[in-house]
Amino acid sequence: MSERRLAYLNAMGIEVWVPRDPVAQAIDAVVPVELAEPTIPVGGNTSQLRADTNLPISDLPLDALRTQVAQCTACELHASRTQTVFGVGNPQAEWMIVGEAPGADEDRQGEPFVGRAGQLLNAMLKAVGLERGDVYIANILKCRPPGNRDPQPEEAAQCTPFLNRQIELIQPRLILAVGRVAAHHLLQTDVSLAKLRGSVHRYDATGSPVVVSYHPAYLLRSPKEKRKAWEDLQFARQAIRKYQ
């Protein structure tokens, strides 16, 4: 195992990983990792982009979809947001990470999974050989709920067409749903996260394979669960090979 990968495993709380008797240790702070710049393609002139946003959501290209999300006032969350948080990453990614909603850091920066939770997500991805810029990251909601509360059903319903179109355009080979809210929304279930882990599910709207794991913010609060998250990542890596 390379020293670089070992450092990322340590950042997850796994000091040494071996097939037998794995060790997962709590950490007080995650290793800062430089965040990749968004790679969303923007093509054509401004007037063409405005014209594209008049198309149905199901027909929008990714750049026009981002513009329509930024202009959305379909629910009350638009009144309290600083900016929308669309998504970031490789538009041809094999892995798509889906969380529940932006937090305060994301609302300020306009990018999903930043701050300590984002740094831990970066370390988790690196532990399985992926850079942040290799994957595509999005949330169920595109606006921050006040006080970081859970998304309300009507809010998720308004954002779902945007997420569906993102998935259709990215065409990921695997969706990693992180956290209870994201898993329940994507799979339309209230089964516990513990029972959803370790299986390959399907997102009905697009047919995409879905693997479920813990949200990085939860892992920061419950570091003993990091070993389970590592198991989920290993399972996801095996699953994506199966669907080659």
Side-chain angles (χ1 to χ4, degrees):
M1 180 181 297
S2 69
E3 293 183 3
R4 184 180 181 188
R5 189 176 182 200
L6 181 60
Y8 296 134
L9 289 174
N10 287 337
M12 288 178 63
I14 303 170
E15 184 176 355
V16 177
W17 181 264
V18 292
R20 300 179 62 187
D21 192 28
V23 179
Q25 296 182 336
I27 59 172
D28 294 328
V30 298
V31 177
V33 179
E34 182 178 354
L35 305 183
E37 291 296 324
T39 56
I40 305 302
V42 178
N45 56 43
T46 304
S47 61
Q48 181 62 46
L49 183 58
R50 284 197 296 267
D52 285 344
T53 59
N54 291 325
L55 295 171
I57 290 174
S58 59
D59 292 338
L60 290 175
L62 201 58
D63 51 1
L65 185 67
R66 174 190 285 270
T67 298
Q68 188 160 112
V69 166
Q71 297 170 350
C72 181
T73 58
C75 75
E76 293 183 357
L77 293 181
H78 79 276
S80 58
R81 73 189 182 212
T82 300
Q83 58 186 316
T84 54
V85 180
F86 179 69
V88 67
N90 183 354
Q92 279 111 23
E94 294 187 343
W95 290 56
M96 185 168 181
I97 315 298
V98 177
E100 59 184 73
D105 290 329
E106 290 77 13
D107 180 62
R108 283 191 295 269
Q109 298 185 39
E111 183 174 328
F113 284 91
V114 294
R116 293 185 70 230
Q119 290 167 11
L120 179 55
L121 176 63
N122 293 348
M124 292 166 65
L125 292 171
K126 284 178 178 291
V128 289
L130 294 170
E131 298 290 336
R132 182 180 173 95
D134 294 333
V135 305
Y136 193 88
I137 307 174
N139 283 310
I140 301 297
L141 292 192
K142 310 307 183 189
C143 297
R144 179 197 179 198
N148 293 347
R149 61 163 171 75
D150 286 350
Q152 296 178 357
E154 58 271 23
E155 295 164 351
Q158 293 293 343
C159 275
T160 294
F162 297 133
L163 179 64
N164 287 350
R165 184 58 177 160
Q166 284 177 299
I167 296 172
E168 290 170 354
L169 291 167
I170 303 301
Q171 296 184 340
R173 286 172 50 203
L174 182 86
I175 295 174
L176 180 65
V178 291
R180 170 185 56 84
V181 173
H184 285 178
H185 178 78
L186 290 175
L187 303 179
Q188 291 296 289
T189 184
D190 59 2
V191 175
S192 70
L193 200 68
K195 292 182 178 179
L196 292 173
R197 292 177 57 248
S199 297
V200 178
H201 309 274
R202 289 282 176 177
Y203 182 39
D204 287 343
T206 61
S208 307
V210 177
V211 170
V212 172
S213 188
Y214 297 101
H215 196 286
Y218 169 77
L219 296 176
L220 290 172
R221 298 191 302 269
S222 305
K224 290 183 179 180
E225 303 291 2
K226 288 179 181 177
R227 185 172 66 181
K228 293 180 181 178
W230 169 242
E231 293 169 357
D232 295 337
L233 290 172
Q234 294 287 80
F235 177 78
R237 187 164 60 176
Q238 294 169 4
I240 203 168
R241 289 171 179 166
K242 179 180 177 181
Y243 290 99
Q244 284 182 344

